[in-house]
Amino acid sequence: KNEVEQSPQNLTAQEGEFITINCSYSVGISALHWLQQHPGGGIVSLFMLSSGKKKHGRLIATINIQEKHSSLHITASHPRDSAVYICAVSGGYQKVTFGTGTKLQVIP
Amino acid sequence: DVKVTQSSRYLVKRTGEKVFLECVQDMDHENMFWYRQDPGLGLRLIYFSYDVKMKEKGDIPEGYSVSREKKERFSLILESASTNQTSMYLCASSWDSYSNQPQHFGDGTRLSIL
């Protein structure tokens, strides 16, 4: 079993829909990261959180430490949000474990 | 903004060749990383470096070596390329050794070994 599990693996949405991507982890962590990877490869850090909730524009990330679960929400989705979203957890010295990603396609 | 630059976006090499992938960061970060990314497996750490001339093995170091002669540059070397090393390679850098700072990634090098 992977230490970081994401769901769904693939997601297709209509423009304007509210989107949720889930991440569950099985190890102790000091922080959880949400990353975005556009076609072509480059990865951008969206959020780093260790408790509660963070918001940036139309993106919201939440984490429940007790349940070892995090969600990434996108409100009013747009085709430019189409990307792979990766959950990663960090804990200890240089130890970062990545999920396999959720591929999101937003259709106009 | 942090800039992590990988020398090539696409690279095609032949089995048995020695392959160099170069990465440069411009923010004086102590830590640099090399990952490979394969479908269904996520990012896996090959090697990382926490200082000039210092390196540590990651989860999948076999068949690879690294070099860090200057703080801003971290090179990944495939000593004798094989077809199972066809992959996307991503370089990253960060301030903190304890993984509580975001890593900054390059755009990746898609390497094909024929």
Side-chain angles (χ1 to χ4, degrees):
Chain A
K1 190 180 188 303
N2 292 334
E3 292 179 338
V4 180
E5 298 273 0
Q6 287 185 236
S7 63
Q9 289 187 322
N10 294 280
L11 182 57
T12 300
Q14 291 292 133
E15 184 173 356
E17 282 186 13
F18 180 84
I19 289 164
T20 296
I21 299 170
N22 296 299
C23 175
S24 296
Y25 54 92
S26 58
V27 294
I29 68 168
S30 53
L32 183 141
H33 309 258
W34 281 104
L35 311 170
Q36 181 190 55
Q37 185 174 29
H38 277 287
I43 292 176
V44 174
S45 178
L46 298 174
F47 294 104
M48 185 181 72
L49 61 166
S50 54
S51 65
K53 177 179 173 178
K54 287 191 176 180
K55 184 176 189 292
H56 185 256
R58 295 180 295 105
L59 302 179
I60 303 165
T62 64
I63 188 168
N64 184 319
I65 298 293
Q66 287 73 29
E67 294 187 4
K68 295 188 174 176
H69 181 268
S70 175
S71 294
L72 176 69
H73 305 286
I74 304 175
T75 61
S77 60
H78 190 275
R80 65 175 174 266
D81 297 326
S82 298
V84 175
Y85 292 85
I86 301 169
C87 172
V89 298
S90 57
Y93 179 68
Q94 301 291 10
K95 177 63 176 173
V96 181
T97 304
F98 296 84
T100 56
T102 294
K103 186 174 182 180
L104 171 66
Q105 184 179 19
V106 181
I107 299 170
Chain B
D1 268 359
V2 177
K3 184 73 175 172
V4 179
T5 303
Q6 294 184 229
S7 53
S8 305
R9 293 297 302 275
Y10 300 93
L11 205 54
V12 180
K13 296 291 182 180
R14 296 211 171 268
T15 303
E17 280 193 67
K18 191 168 186 175
V19 180
F20 294 85
L21 302 183
E22 306 285 347
C23 175
V24 176
Q25 52 95 3
D26 66 358
M27 279 300 291
D28 205 35
H29 283 170
E30 299 290 337
N31 306 291
M32 297 188 74
F33 309 82
W34 275 107
Y35 295 94
R36 65 178 280 176
Q37 184 181 31
D38 299 289
L41 294 178
L43 278 79
R44 293 179 292 167
L45 182 64
I46 304 171
Y47 268 97
F48 69 92
S49 168
Y50 51 91
D51 202 350
V52 174
K53 297 192 187 293
M54 307 305 288
K55 61 186 180 184
E56 284 197 26
K57 293 180 180 179
D59 299 320
I60 51 164
E62 296 79 18
Y64 303 94
S65 62
V66 290
S67 172
R68 193 160 180 208
E69 296 296 319
K70 293 185 178 181
K71 192 173 187 179
E72 67 271 17
R73 185 179 297 271
F74 191 35
S75 302
L76 179 69
I77 303 154
L78 286 66
E79 296 290 344
S80 177
S82 64
T83 54
N84 63 12
Q85 292 177 309
T86 292
S87 187
M88 168 71 94
Y89 290 86
L90 287 143
C91 174
S93 71
S94 73
W95 289 112
D96 187 79
S97 293
Y98 283 86
S99 309
N100 285 341
Q101 294 296 322
Q103 293 185 8
H104 299 268
F105 287 85
D107 288 337
T109 295
R110 193 167 293 280
L111 175 64
S112 296
I113 306 296
L114 304 179

